[in-house]
Amino acid sequence: MAELSILTFFVVLSVLSSLLVVCTKNIVHCALWMIVSCIALAGLFLLLHLQFLAILQIIVYAGAIMMFILYAIMMLNLRFSSGPYLLWNVKTLGLVVLVVFMVGLLGLAELLPETSPISGPFTVQALEDIGEAGILATRIFSDYIIAFELVSVLLTAGVVGALALAKKDR
Amino acid sequence: MEYQSVFLGLGLALFLIGTAGALVRRTAIVVFLSIEIMLGGVNLVFLTFARSTQSADGAFMVMCIMAVAAVEAAVGLAIFFRMYQKTGSIDVERFNLLKW
């Protein structure tokens, strides 16, 4: 019962804060509501018993990325966008098509078989014994090593690219 | 797993809210934030299925998505800086050099 009320709280919080990110006029407020949305998502990860990823979500999204974005907003001195803040045109039609498509997708998901094959390292016993960070670590350095190294190369390339782009004159 | 449909529905809702924001807003930073909301919804769906099928693939994918989102933030904000230096605003309507 307590779990259900916590779940309801985080679901309502994340939907409301995401809507406010999309609807607020003040860009700084948008970024601040995005932090609330990230923290609500971390709470939902905790409800899925994935503590490591919840902490990662708070550190990486709410800590690093959002701080970076707030820095950028304040350095560019943007508070309100110039002119009307919405683009209403043919894109709304596309939006309607998208909503219909997604609802159809959800209907398709309802048709899927109820039981999915259960096999893998995330058993309840393993989660209690070595924890989810331990399971992930052993998988990262064995099965997923190539993907992991590619992500690190991508991070390095991103740093170099951002520096090259932000340099004033070359 | 209990509440699985709640998590999946919330992931879908976050994805749709993010799509609406990315299509409708005209400030580039808010479009970027909307894309982050979409990534959050996808992360939630990945983790829900990772838990219900006991597979670690979804959790690893979420870690990769977080790293890619960080790279995206760095490169995207550098692009916004250049855009602001060139046009004096980060309105996506005025970023039209690639339009044909």
Side-chain angles (χ1 to χ4, degrees), chain B residues 23-46:
Chain B
L23 287 178
V24 152
R25 290 300 295 259
R26 58 164 67 226
T27 315
I29 286 188
V30 184
V31 173
F32 174 77
L33 287 181
S34 307
I35 294 172
E36 297 286 321
I37 293 176
M38 289 164 74
L39 286 181
V42 173
N43 279 353
L44 192 62
V45 172
F46 262 125

Side-chain angles (χ1 to χ4, degrees), chain A residues 3-4 7 11 14-15 18-19 21-25 27 30-31 34 41 44-45 47-50 52-53 56-57 60-61 65-66 68-69 72-73 75-76 78 81-82 84-88 91 95 98-99 102 106 116-124 127 135-136 139-140 144 147-148 151 154-155 158 162 165-170, chain B residues 1-10 12-27 29-30 32-34 36-37 39-41 43-44 47-60 62-71 73-75 77-82 84-85 88-94:
Chain A
E3 198 188 346
L4 183 61
L7 176 69
V11 167
S14 82
V15 169
S18 307
L19 276 175
V21 172
V22 171
C23 297
T24 316
K25 266 194 171 175
I27 301 174
C30 280
M34 185 67 202
L41 213 57
L44 288 162
F45 291 178
L47 281 176
L48 285 168
H49 300 284
L50 298 166
F52 175 65
L53 284 166
L56 213 62
Q57 169 87 9
V60 173
Y61 268 100
I65 296 181
M66 292 316 300
F68 197 31
I69 287 172
I73 293 172
M75 279 179 83
L76 297 181
L78 307 162
S81 42
S82 54
Y85 83 118
L86 293 182
L87 299 166
W88 290 109
K91 286 173 184 169
L95 202 63
L98 186 83
V99 168
M102 293 306 266
L106 198 65
S116 38
I118 292 177
S119 63
F122 268 4
T123 56
V124 179
L127 279 177
I135 301 172
L136 265 180
R139 302 288 290 221
I140 281 177
Y144 305 132
F148 183 70
V151 166
L154 179 71
L155 273 167
L165 271 173
K167 248 172 66 178
K168 188 115 198 212
D169 34 33
R170 42 214 137 149
Chain B
M1 205 184 67
E2 47 178 356
Y3 308 131
Q4 179 176 347
S5 51
V6 177
F7 284 108
L8 294 183
L10 179 65
L12 181 68
L14 287 182
F15 193 87
L16 284 181
I17 291 171
T19 317
L23 287 178
V24 152
R25 290 300 295 259
R26 58 164 67 226
T27 315
I29 286 188
V30 184
F32 174 77
L33 287 181
S34 307
E36 297 286 321
I37 293 176
L39 286 181
N43 279 353
L44 192 62
L47 287 184
T48 307
F49 281 124
R51 280 293 288 155
S52 68
T53 62
Q54 298 187 351
S55 160
D57 299 0
F60 178 71
V62 168
M63 289 181 66
C64 287
I65 290 176
M66 281 180 185
V68 172
V71 176
V75 177
L77 292 178
I79 290 174
F80 296 157
F81 271 112
R82 297 297 295 181
Y84 191 76
Q85 284 169 2
S89 79
I90 51 165
D91 191 332
V92 289
E93 287 276 277
R94 298 179 63 175

